[in-house]
Amino acid sequence: MGANKSRLANSEFKIEFEGDSRAFDGNHPIVGTLKIKVAENLPAYGVMMKLELIDMCKKYDHGDKGQRYDHTKKIRAFQKCITVANFDNNILPMGETSLPFCMDVPHDAPQSSHYYQSTCELFARMKWFLKAQVVPVDTKLLNDEWGKSQLR
């Protein structure tokens, strides 16, 4: 099992979880391997992983003529970043690279949840995300000004 989210042409970036499971809690760290495959040497500092909990709420109001207004609130409730690897001479070598990782989860971490109440049209969701990306040297390998890498 893994998530494949490569955006750079002729490349692959895959997260493989140990035990073929994406479930985790405070007593069991997230363990796996990052598999990166590139067709040429890329200037990159290393690989960064981020574990984050996003809390999203949406409430609907109705206007005097029946129009529907939604109010969305999205909060990053938790975030933890780790550096998985630093590349020699700031170069990600051509070919396949495997990088093992282990990330501890806080012991008091809530589980992902989803709530919907139709009477007052309230929607709430707490969801965990595990993200990984290559940290490029050159800004041409970034998708946007927030530092989102094309290889993630």
Side-chain angles (χ1 to χ4, degrees), residues 58-89:
K58 187 182 280 188
K59 184 177 180 183
Y60 299 99
D61 288 333
H62 294 281
D64 58 350
K65 295 185 170 130
Q67 353 31 336
R68 186 171 159 162
Y69 301 102
D70 65 332
H71 305 280
T72 303
K73 189 176 183 182
K74 189 174 181 181
I75 300 169
R76 182 173 288 115
F78 175 83
Q79 179 176 323
K80 178 181 181 179
C81 296
I82 63 168
T83 301
V84 176
N86 291 311
F87 299 128
D88 293 334
N89 301 320

Side-chain angles (χ1 to χ4, degrees), residues 5 7 35 50 69 74 82 94 103-106 119 125 132 138 144:
K5 291 208 167 194
R7 308 252 186 333
K35 300 217 174 186
K50 183 189 322 182
Y69 301 102
K74 189 174 181 181
I82 63 168
M94 177 177 58
M103 182 177 279
D104 291 322
V105 180
T119 56
R125 178 180 70 195
D138 193 356
D144 54 34

Side-chain angles (χ1 to χ4, degrees), residues 127-145:
K127 190 171 181 182
W128 287 93
F129 293 91
L130 180 67
K131 301 176 181 181
Q133 74 175 15
V134 170
V135 182
V137 172
D138 193 356
T139 56
K140 290 186 283 188
L141 294 175
L142 296 177
N143 281 349
D144 54 34
E145 62 271 16

Side-chain angles (χ1 to χ4, degrees), residues 2-13:
N4 188 353
K5 291 208 167 194
S6 174
R7 308 252 186 333
L8 188 65
N10 300 320
S11 66
E12 291 180 26
F13 194 109

Side-chain angles (χ1 to χ4, degrees), residues 20-131:
D20 206 30
S21 173
R22 293 185 185 199
F24 57 88
D25 60 31
N27 298 323
H28 302 92
I30 305 169
V31 180
T33 305
L34 298 175
K35 300 217 174 186
I36 306 168
K37 185 177 181 181
V38 290
E40 60 185 85
N41 290 342
L42 292 177
Y45 296 112
V47 177
M48 181 186 82
M49 289 192 80
K50 183 189 322 182
L51 177 67
E52 61 185 5
L53 175 63
I54 303 294
D55 182 359
M56 189 177 110
C57 299
K58 187 182 280 188
K59 184 177 180 183
Y60 299 99
D61 288 333
H62 294 281
D64 58 350
K65 295 185 170 130
Q67 353 31 336
R68 186 171 159 162
Y69 301 102
D70 65 332
H71 305 280
T72 303
K73 189 176 183 182
K74 189 174 181 181
I75 300 169
R76 182 173 288 115
F78 175 83
Q79 179 176 323
K80 178 181 181 179
C81 296
I82 63 168
T83 301
V84 176
N86 291 311
F87 299 128
D88 293 334
N89 301 320
N90 294 335
I91 297 291
L92 170 59
M94 177 177 58
E96 290 189 29
T97 304
S98 293
L99 304 168
F101 68 89
C102 179
M103 182 177 279
D104 291 322
V105 180
H107 290 287
D108 58 348
Q111 65 184 17
S112 294
S113 60
H114 180 90
Y115 176 77
Y116 178 73
Q117 184 180 14
S118 60
T119 56
C120 67
E121 297 190 13
L122 175 69
F123 167 82
R125 178 180 70 195
M126 290 180 63
K127 190 171 181 182
W128 287 93
F129 293 91
L130 180 67
K131 301 176 181 181

